[in-house]
Amino acid sequence: MSNPFVQIVEPLDPKQPQKKFFNLSKLEDVRYARLPFSIRVLLEAAIRNCDEFLVKKGDVENILNWKVMQHKNVEVPFKPARVILQDFTGVPAVVDFAAMRDAVKKLGGDPEKINPICPADLVIDHSIQVDFNRQPDSLQKNQDLEFERNKERFEFLKWGSRAFKNLRIIPPGSGIIHQVNLEYLARVVMDQDGYYYPDSVVGTDSHTTMIDGLGVLGWGVGGIEAEAVMLGQPISMVLPEVVGYKLVGNPQPLVTSTDIVLTITKHLRQVGVVGKFVEFFGPGVAQLSIADRATIANMCPEYGATAAYFPVDDISIGYLMQTGRDKEKVMCTKKYLETVGMLRDFKNSSQDPDFTQVVELDLHTVVPCCSGPKRPQDKVAVSDMKKDFETCLGAKQGFKGFQIAPDRHNSIVKFNFEGCDYELAHGSVVIAAITSCTNTSNPSVMLGAGLLAKKAVEAGLTVKPYIKTSLSPGSGVVTYYLRESGVMSYLSQLGFDVVGYGCMTCIGNSGPLPESVVEAITQGDLVAVGVLSGNRNFEGRVHPNTRANYLASPPLVIAYAIAGTIRIDFEKEPLGINASGKKIFLKDIWPTRNEIQAVERQFVIPAMFKEVYQKIETVNKSWNALDAPSDKLYTWNPKSTYIKSPPFFDHLTLALQTPKTIEGAYVLLSFGDSVTTDHISPAGNIARNSPAARYLTSRGLTPREFNSYGSRRGNDAVMARGTFANIRLVNKFIDKQGPQTIHFPSGEILDVFDAAERYKQAGHPLIVLAGKEYGAGSSRDWAAKGPFLLGVKAVLAESYERIHRSNLVGMGVIPLQYLPGEDAGTLGLTGRERYTIIIPEKLKPQMNVQIKLDTGKTFHAVMRFDTDVELTYFHNGGILNYMIRKMAS
């Protein structure tokens, strides 16, 4: 059927009649001008894709009537303009595509129908780790090791780029996915298939929201959902409420964008924005650069919103010019946005749209701060850091507590490193990493770090050699301007050499600490500290030996590295004493905002961006030398421990199976609140005593060859064994941290995988009990695939992180939620019962279902299939099964 809104299609430029757009201003509907700008993007996509099948005219009306319908829990479709993936989530996506081709062929269909329809970019940025640091050749050594470890994965991805249309690979060593997206991939306005329309993106990484800072609506989705979008399916979403976040005032001279985002993160966590859009407005927005806005948008998952949108304004247009985008295309972008009413003037309050609610922040009230020691929303003013950490030491074990006995708070352990004697104590900094797109995309904080390093070196300050320092920029542009501005050599003198272009420490690829440091930490049971300019600091994520981890701006990362401890009051205590005996305080070396801006204006120029990005797809010689097959069907290597055909489709038939009641399920694990995807499916190192290690050893590998869980996401045998394998896992059945549980039929304490295997062999289904925010953290499809392979049929939790609930749905695992006011405690659940979950024949979104226990107790829970589309996926056994049946038939 033809589009019912064809009457509002017109050329943007009469001289180019072949290039058209849907002119939303011609709707002549007063409601349009009152819509939040983020909702206007959803509306345009619905109008442009309206076919009365996947997108209906009623969907358009619902979005246009957002002010009323936002409260009605109404479902709307959204077709993003493109998809972006990183390699940890991208490899399993390409593995699934390869396996889906096999399945379609097996069912009698055309395997080449399995092809991305929606443009997709895959940036390889998660594989490199900090094996070498503080050496001039650290970068080359780390990149060589990255290729040695991941050659097979990279060859597979190169095959994928040849086998599948519409899939572009950005090779390793290019930068971090979200910074590359910001500086290079983002269009702001698409020019595709003869139409102009707003750029929008979903990504298989929760921090895809960073691009919202440039005015490109984007957010993270599960890898499974992203695959469906790549195959041309719309995302089915509940029309969101939009919280207007008004920024007023000017930041104080010593405040960084990192301080602002950590303040906003804590504020919005308190407001409660889970499942909502946040849209920024007010005169304070005009005071923020695009890099500042991108930093704020990047941490959207940490405050729980779906998106954190900054509409496009003249500063956005200026950024496109600064980063070397084509001038003619930029002018076309501006003209399109002006014509359709999507160009914002933040100083003009008459443009302010309607919002669900409005909250406000005066930027002048923001003070320098960090977040930690275990969660990104736990903001601590720098002036309170020493006192706060010392309080955490003795506090009860939890997000703000380590439960260290008072008589051990001042314990000291002596150790020797490279022939010299040193001391470690609680609060000693052992990792200091300038890392993550959150901050390395922002020239102001990176140049601020460089200028601080210069002043520190000139003042005679140093960093102790056992502290693992590193600098991993998000793109080559950063290295370019740090070098050209003359600060790179000073960073190197303090140990902050460039170690790689990738996520690195922020995702747990921090590499090994010196053995003598690990021994000292273990001997004293010390709460050692990592300080990083990242966005996540969950326990066990950054490094197994850093129990406390603080998020901080790049200049503060260097300051704490120099101090060597988190237990310092910068206002009263010196950073250090130089060779002349002079006390040097942080205020003596902290650069002013004017200093930083002057250097930025001089050295961050369009030519840098053009030079770096024009050769981004060809500059890596190791990538160019990789050989990869060109067959349309992948030839699986049965000896491979990296790439394996997954078992998801082994028993798939064209006929649908009727969902059945889950009878007598055992509880595999019982959790409290805030169990993250890092707990469920860790990305870091594979412990030598784990089921995954035993599997790899059985395949002839040595521990040195294990690599990380993240790098082995293309192998289901490793990932199933790595499910719930985090050493910091807290299972209520076990009285200590660790990846173990009770196998109730035998009473034995086993590794989680081994227990699940026993249950599976006996034919027993499994469930998981959890508290609030189950699945918080990174977007990880294996956090749903892994439990599915372990035999988990359902999860019963108090609440879910948005992406993880979607991933569970995508794998056919039922997300159940306690009724309001109820939880395991109020219902008297111990987890030792057996659970029968009654699945009715006729299902509807968010219906209540009955749960019976073998004790005789009965209660109800909400089945969190939120839309009819999600129910369709469930009936098919998951979203991928649905797509295969659709393509095969």
Side-chain angles (χ1 to χ4, degrees):
M1 178 182 173
S2 63
N3 191 307
F5 296 94
V6 70
Q7 74 277 6
I8 64 170
V9 173
E10 60 184 52
L12 185 64
D13 182 349
K15 296 175 184 175
Q16 292 183 300
Q18 77 280 11
K19 291 199 169 185
K20 304 171 184 177
F21 73 110
F22 284 79
N23 190 348
L24 272 61
S25 63
K26 294 287 180 71
L27 287 171
E28 296 179 353
D29 193 312
V30 293
R31 294 174 295 180
Y32 177 65
R34 303 306 308 156
L35 289 177
F37 282 65
S38 52
I39 299 298
R40 297 180 198 188
V41 178
L42 298 185
L43 178 67
E44 190 283 337
I47 286 174
R48 178 169 36 87
N49 291 294
C50 189
D51 59 0
E52 288 297 354
F53 175 59
L54 289 174
V55 183
K56 299 180 179 179
K57 202 169 180 181
D59 298 320
V60 172
E61 172 58 25
N62 284 337
I63 299 171
L64 195 52
N65 199 28
W66 170 84
K67 191 171 183 180
V68 173
M69 302 308 290
Q70 61 171 315
H71 305 297
K72 306 274 188 178
N73 207 39
V74 65
E75 171 191 351
V76 295
F78 174 53
K79 274 196 166 187
R82 55 194 177 91
V83 175
I84 193 164
L85 312 99
Q86 37 88 340
D87 55 302
F88 270 16
T89 50
V91 166
V94 180
V95 166
D96 286 347
F97 266 64
M100 288 167 78
R101 277 193 171 179
D102 292 343
V104 168
K105 184 181 180 183
K106 183 179 169 184
L107 292 175
D110 178 4
E112 288 198 46
K113 282 187 177 180
I114 299 292
N115 234 338
I117 296 167
C118 180
D121 296 297
L122 192 158
V123 182
I124 302 175
D125 68 347
H126 273 51
S127 297
I128 191 166
Q129 71 177 40
V130 192
D131 289 286
F132 296 94
N133 67 312
R134 289 186 176 243
Q135 301 172 25
D137 58 351
S138 294
L139 171 62
Q140 189 59 52
K141 284 182 173 179
N142 287 328
Q143 288 182 335
D144 289 346
L145 256 182
E146 176 189 22
F147 264 82
E148 182 185 322
R149 289 177 176 135
N150 298 285
K151 183 171 182 282
E152 195 179 331
R153 295 171 65 242
F154 291 170
E155 285 173 343
F156 175 70
L157 287 175
K158 199 163 187 179
W159 167 81
S161 69
R162 292 174 176 175
F164 297 108
K165 299 170 186 174
N166 250 347
L167 175 64
R168 173 171 51 176
I169 306 281
I170 305 297
S174 304
I176 301 175
I177 176 173
H178 307 306
Q179 188 161 341
V180 173
N181 195 14
L182 184 73
E183 296 175 352
Y184 175 60
L185 297 174
R187 284 76 145 175
V188 179
V189 169
M190 300 292 288
D191 177 0
Q192 186 107 355
D193 300 327
Y195 282 89
Y196 294 109
Y197 51 93
D199 188 7
S200 59
V201 62
V202 291
T204 57
D205 188 283
S206 51
H207 294 103
T208 301
T209 53
M210 182 169 177
I211 204 62
D212 290 333
L214 184 57
V216 175
L217 185 63
W219 61 85
V221 295
I224 304 153
E225 194 172 13
E227 291 168 33
V229 174
M230 289 165 71
L231 290 167
Q233 294 298 296
I235 286 173
S236 181
M237 61 187 293
V238 174
L239 188 64
E241 296 182 359
V242 183
V243 175
Y245 199 90
K246 187 174 186 179
L247 295 175
V248 300
N250 294 307
Q252 296 182 50
L254 300 182
V255 163
T256 68
S257 58
T258 316
D259 304 319
I260 295 171
V261 70
L262 295 179
T263 301
I264 289 172
T265 298
K266 182 171 184 179
H267 185 198
L268 284 174
R269 270 285 172 189
Q270 293 169 336
V271 170
V273 291
V274 172
K276 303 176 184 179
F277 283 4
V278 174
E279 185 168 308
F280 292 85
F281 75 110
V285 178
Q287 306 300 316
L288 302 176
S289 68
I290 294 303
D292 290 339
R293 299 176 194 181
T295 298
I296 294 166
N298 177 285
M299 286 193 70
C300 173
E302 281 64 55
Y303 41 87
T306 299
Y309 191 64
F310 288 83
V312 179
D313 68 345
D314 283 337
I315 293 175
S316 318
I317 301 297
Y319 178 83
L320 293 177
M321 296 299 295
Q322 183 195 27
T323 49
R325 263 75 166 207
D326 180 85
K327 184 177 180 181
E328 188 177 327
K329 288 182 179 178
V330 173
M331 291 303 99
C332 202
T333 292
K334 184 174 182 179
K335 182 179 180 181
Y336 168 81
L337 293 169
E338 283 178 324
T339 306
V340 297
M342 292 192 199
L343 190 70
R344 189 76 162 91
D345 178 359
F346 290 104
K347 294 178 181 176
N348 180 2
S349 61
S350 68
Q351 280 192 3
D352 293 351
D354 294 328
F355 293 112
T356 309
Q357 71 176 111
V358 172
V359 290
E360 184 173 307
L361 175 69
D362 183 347
L363 293 172
H364 191 72
T365 64
V366 177
V367 298
C369 57
C370 300
S371 277
K374 301 182 186 181
R375 293 192 304 182
Q377 64 262 41
D378 294 330
K379 185 192 79 163
V380 186
V382 170
S383 57
D384 296 332
M385 279 286 285
K386 180 179 181 179
K387 182 176 69 177
D388 186 80
F389 178 80
E390 290 174 348
T391 301
C392 289
L393 269 184
K396 184 181 177 183
Q397 182 73 37
F399 299 123
K400 294 287 285 185
F402 296 101
Q403 210 161 332
I404 303 297
D407 62 345
R408 292 185 46 242
H409 284 200
N410 295 311
S411 297
I412 289 174
V413 179
K414 298 180 185 296
F415 71 103
N416 187 278
F417 178 75
E418 295 182 345
C420 296
D421 292 327
Y422 299 97
E423 294 179 345
L424 284 184
H426 295 298
S428 290
V429 174
V430 295
I431 290 177
I434 298 175
T435 181
S436 173
C437 51
T438 310
N439 285 288
T440 67
S441 61
N442 194 325
S444 67
V445 292
M446 295 303 288
L447 287 167
L451 291 171
L452 184 140
K454 180 176 185 288
K455 293 184 179 188
V457 170
E458 290 170 347
L461 297 176
T462 60
V463 175
K464 293 181 177 69
Y466 64 80
I467 296 176
K468 188 156 192 180
T469 48
S470 61
L471 167 59
S472 50
S475 80
V477 174
V478 179
T479 308
Y480 205 141
Y481 65 66
L482 290 176
R483 189 173 60 238
E484 291 296 305
S485 61
V487 298
M488 191 72 239
S489 62
Y490 297 101
L491 287 162
S492 295
Q493 287 180 65
L494 293 179
F496 290 91
D497 300 278
V498 174
V499 295
Y501 296 95
C503 297
M504 303 189 89
T505 300
C506 187
I507 58 160
N509 287 1
S510 49
L513 288 173
E515 283 188 21
S516 58
V517 171
V518 173
E519 287 169 5
I521 293 169
T522 305
Q523 179 188 331
D525 192 25
L526 298 176
V527 181
V529 175
V531 184
L532 65 152
S533 62
N535 47 40
R536 294 262 165 86
N537 56 341
F538 302 126
E539 192 173 11
R541 178 185 176 94
V542 174
H543 193 282
N545 296 110
T546 56
R547 286 156 68 185
N549 297 282
Y550 287 92
L551 307 181
S553 66
L556 277 176
V557 170
I558 296 176
Y560 280 113
I562 294 169
T565 180
I566 216 81
R567 297 169 82 170
I568 181 172
D569 184 338
F570 287 131
E571 294 175 12
K572 299 173 183 174
E573 300 172 62
L575 270 178
I577 300 171
N578 65 15
S580 306
K582 182 184 177 184
K583 293 180 178 179
I584 308 296
F585 288 82
L586 182 57
K587 63 184 178 183
D588 300 328
I589 61 170
W590 194 272
T592 65
R593 185 181 292 272
N594 287 339
E595 282 180 89
I596 296 168
Q597 288 175 343
V599 175
E600 184 176 351
R601 279 193 296 271
Q602 184 177 352
F603 293 104
V604 183
I605 56 176
M608 289 181 177
F609 292 88
K610 286 181 179 176
E611 183 173 335
V612 168
Y613 283 112
Q614 69 186 4
K615 55 189 179 184
I616 191 171
E617 293 179 51
T618 57
V619 74
N620 192 314
K621 293 178 182 177
S622 299
W623 175 263
N624 296 340
L626 282 178
D627 189 30
S630 55
D631 303 338
K632 296 301 181 184
L633 292 175
Y634 188 69
T635 304
W636 306 95
N637 177 2
K639 294 181 180 179
S640 174
T641 57
Y642 278 103
I643 306 297
K644 180 177 174 289
S645 181
F648 306 135
F649 317 124
D650 286 355
H651 306 292
L652 184 65
T653 61
L654 283 174
L656 287 182
Q657 304 298 312
T658 305
K660 297 176 182 176
T661 289
I662 299 168
E663 298 274 2
Y666 282 97
V667 177
L668 179 63
L669 295 141
S670 178
F671 295 126
D673 296 339
S674 297
V675 169
T676 71
T677 51
D678 283 297
H679 292 113
I680 304 167
S681 183
N685 292 334
I686 297 171
R688 296 187 182 192
N689 61 346
S690 65
R694 293 196 290 274
Y695 167 79
L696 292 171
T697 300
S698 74
R699 300 298 297 268
L701 273 67
T702 64
R704 183 179 173 275
E705 298 169 305
F706 285 174
N707 211 333
S708 65
Y709 283 114
S711 68
R712 292 191 179 274
R713 286 185 182 163
N715 186 319
D716 62 273
V718 174
M719 296 310 296
R721 288 164 173 81
T723 303
F724 300 114
N726 191 308
I727 61 169
R728 301 293 180 194
L729 193 75
V730 178
N731 175 13
K732 290 181 180 180
F733 297 150
I734 307 293
D735 58 6
K736 62 179 180 180
Q737 286 185 338
Q740 293 188 312
T741 193
I742 297 174
H743 176 251
F744 286 111
S746 68
E748 290 180 69
I749 295 176
L750 300 173
D751 288 331
V752 175
F753 174 80
D754 294 335
E757 280 294 287
R758 290 250 198 114
Y759 283 122
K760 190 186 296 185
Q761 288 163 10
H764 297 310
L766 298 170
I767 67 168
V768 170
L769 299 183
K772 300 180 182 71
E773 297 178 347
Y774 182 72
S778 300
S779 158
R780 289 201 184 145
D781 55 345
W782 269 109
K785 288 176 176 175
F788 169 83
L789 290 178
L790 294 187
V792 173
K793 303 299 183 185
V795 177
L796 175 58
E798 291 178 57
S799 65
Y800 293 87
E801 193 277 338
R802 178 184 61 83
I803 298 174
H804 184 62
R805 187 200 63 81
S806 170
N807 273 334
L808 291 173
V809 171
M811 286 308 299
V813 177
I814 303 172
L816 297 169
Q817 189 163 317
Y818 293 104
L819 298 181
E822 293 184 353
D823 55 36
T826 62
L827 292 170
L829 307 180
T830 66
R832 295 169 184 266
E833 311 89 350
R834 295 185 68 177
Y835 292 65
T836 294
I837 301 163
I838 310 297
I839 309 294
E841 279 188 29
K842 292 188 177 180
L843 299 176
K844 59 183 181 180
Q846 295 195 344
M847 72 182 296
N848 288 357
V849 293
Q850 189 181 51
I851 300 174
K852 296 179 179 179
L853 308 184
D854 61 347
T855 61
K857 185 179 182 66
T858 299
F859 64 98
H860 287 81
V862 181
M863 186 181 275
R864 284 292 310 278
F865 297 123
D866 291 354
T867 66
D868 287 321
V869 170
E870 289 186 347
L871 281 174
T872 300
Y873 296 155
F874 176 63
H875 283 297
N876 277 271
I879 192 171
L880 301 184
N881 293 358
Y882 167 76
M883 291 306 304
I884 290 171
R885 287 191 176 103
K886 183 178 177 185
M887 294 295 180
S889 60

